[in-house]
Amino acid sequence: MSYIKYEQNGFVGVLTIDREKALNALNSEVLADLDAALDAIDLDSTRCLIITGAGQKSFVAGADIGEMSTLTKAEGEAFGKKGNDVFRKIETLPIPVIAAVNGFALGGGCELSLSCDIRLAAENAVFGQPETGLGITPGFGGTQRLARTINVGKAKEMIYAGTKVKAPEALSLGLVSAVYPAEELMPAAMKLAERISANAPIAVRACKKAINDGLQVNMDEAIVIEEKLFGSCFETEDQKNGMTAFVEKRKPEPFVN
Ligand code: CAA
């Protein structure tokens, strides 16, 4: 039995963390299943991935506290690395990843959403990094990605004080791009994923790489990263298709690469 469900809808993959009884908390098995499910995605035929949680209540309520409760220092470090490796795989997946946050996104759940490119939330979504109340730091990248995603002072408040943020505030902080009634979340995520998938796939992947790699370096190096990727697009059929169609005042053929 896997803790991950995966469905392919045309160019869009939908990956569901499926451990509803424990509010989709991430234990070692869930992380291993998630890792395997990511490896199994056919990147030739998938242009966008949506990640969500099973049920109506929770995206992911964190790393598994029961499992962590008896860890030693070395085991804690290894557990952190396990989560970090999987989340880094999501962050660097060549295709865009949308988190459809359908409830609690606490600790490792908030961190999972932060490893995705775009976060959409249901009205009942709650974000938080409650780890200091458990005697630990965030362990799957929260100190780094939250501080890079929202205002640093607010990230620090959320992490030091364990302040939880509900969907409307998450929207005002820029932590999520949009908030929907629960039943509209997945259709909205699907619609966005389809709009992304309708654009030139090599160009979309190049944009993800340019943004992510560029954010790691200074502006002089970052613009060179963009220049190279921009140039590489001119070798693609999609560029010929898209630009010829514009010049000829018609719609492009569906993008193929
Ligand atoms: N780990 C393990 N089990 C969890 C869990 C977690 N993070 N979160 C929820 N569960 C389990 C509960 O133990 C409970 O199981 P049982 O039915 O067997 O008792 C089940 O899920 C349902 O949870 P509750 O009964 O607590 O549901 P609730 O509606 O009363 O509360 C909640 C919901 C506020 C999310 C609450 O479950 C909660 O506070 N969970 C923990 C949240 C948390 O602290 N997350 C951070 C974990 S640390 C971390 O993630 C470290 C890191 O960065 C890597």
Side-chain angles (χ1 to χ4, degrees), residues 203-226:
V204 171
R205 290 178 188 213
C207 289
K208 174 164 178 171
K209 190 165 171 51
I211 294 168
N212 283 3
D213 291 0
L215 284 171
Q216 307 305 314
V217 297
N218 67 42
M219 187 57 82
D220 287 322
E221 292 174 37
I223 54 172
V224 174
I225 292 173
E226 190 192 75

Side-chain angles (χ1 to χ4, degrees), residues 6-15 38 41-52 87-100 112-120 177 189-212 257:
Y6 184 83
E7 278 173 36
Q8 190 78 31
N9 293 313
F11 289 126
V12 181
V14 180
L15 188 157
L38 291 166
I41 295 172
D42 179 355
L43 292 170
D44 290 331
S45 59
T46 310
R47 296 185 182 180
C48 190
L49 177 68
I50 298 171
I51 298 182
T52 193
F87 288 11
R88 189 75 180 128
K89 192 174 274 186
I90 293 169
E91 190 169 46
T92 58
L93 208 67
I95 56 174
V97 184
I98 299 170
L112 171 61
S113 78
L114 288 164
S115 72
C116 300
D117 295 280
I118 298 167
R119 283 155 294 286
L120 304 181
S177 306
M190 201 61 207
K191 211 165 158 186
L192 177 59
E194 281 167 353
R195 278 175 49 215
I196 291 170
S197 301
N199 278 335
I202 290 179
V204 171
R205 290 178 188 213
C207 289
K208 174 164 178 171
K209 190 165 171 51
I211 294 168
N212 283 3
N257 290 129

Side-chain angles (χ1 to χ4, degrees), residues 21-23 25 57 61-65 68 104 107-108 111 130-131 138-140:
K21 276 190 188 155
L23 304 185
K57 190 170 165 182
D64 191 291
I65 300 170
M68 286 186 294
F104 293 114
E111 293 166 311
E131 286 89 345
F140 294 166

Side-chain angles (χ1 to χ4, degrees), residues 11-226:
F11 289 126
V12 181
V14 180
L15 188 157
T16 305
I17 315 277
D18 187 17
R19 193 187 174 211
E20 197 177 341
K21 276 190 188 155
L23 304 185
N24 306 318
L26 303 170
N27 62 18
S28 290
E29 286 169 68
V30 180
L31 287 171
D33 288 349
L34 176 56
D35 193 44
L38 291 166
D39 287 342
I41 295 172
D42 179 355
L43 292 170
D44 290 331
S45 59
T46 310
R47 296 185 182 180
C48 190
L49 177 68
I50 298 171
I51 298 182
T52 193
Q56 305 298 314
K57 190 170 165 182
S58 182
F59 175 67
V60 165
D64 191 291
I65 300 170
E67 179 173 345
M68 286 186 294
S69 63
T70 58
L71 298 184
T72 62
K73 178 184 174 206
E75 289 165 345
E77 222 175 287
F79 188 65
K81 179 166 167 41
K82 209 178 281 182
N84 275 332
D85 287 350
V86 181
F87 288 11
R88 189 75 180 128
K89 192 174 274 186
I90 293 169
E91 190 169 46
T92 58
L93 208 67
I95 56 174
V97 184
I98 299 170
V101 181
N102 57 318
F104 293 114
L106 301 176
C110 186
E111 293 166 311
L112 171 61
S113 78
L114 288 164
S115 72
C116 300
D117 295 280
I118 298 167
R119 283 155 294 286
L120 304 181
E123 282 169 346
N124 68 334
V126 180
F127 293 82
Q129 299 286 164
E131 286 89 345
T132 52
L134 295 162
I136 56 172
T137 68
F140 294 166
T143 56
Q144 304 310 306
R145 292 197 184 93
L146 189 60
R148 285 164 165 81
T149 303
I150 64 171
N151 168 278
V152 176
K154 185 66 187 181
K156 286 179 172 173
E157 182 205 318
M158 285 175 69
I159 292 169
Y160 302 164
T163 307
K164 292 192 174 69
V165 164
K166 293 183 178 169
E169 189 184 358
L171 183 61
S172 72
L173 292 171
L175 183 53
V176 303
S177 306
V179 178
Y180 301 94
E183 66 281 7
E184 290 173 25
L185 176 65
M186 284 312 287
M190 201 61 207
K191 211 165 158 186
L192 177 59
E194 281 167 353
R195 278 175 49 215
I196 291 170
S197 301
N199 278 335
I202 290 179
V204 171
R205 290 178 188 213
C207 289
K208 174 164 178 171
K209 190 165 171 51
I211 294 168
N212 283 3
D213 291 0
L215 284 171
Q216 307 305 314
V217 297
N218 67 42
M219 187 57 82
D220 287 322
E221 292 174 37
I223 54 172
V224 174
I225 292 173
E226 190 192 75

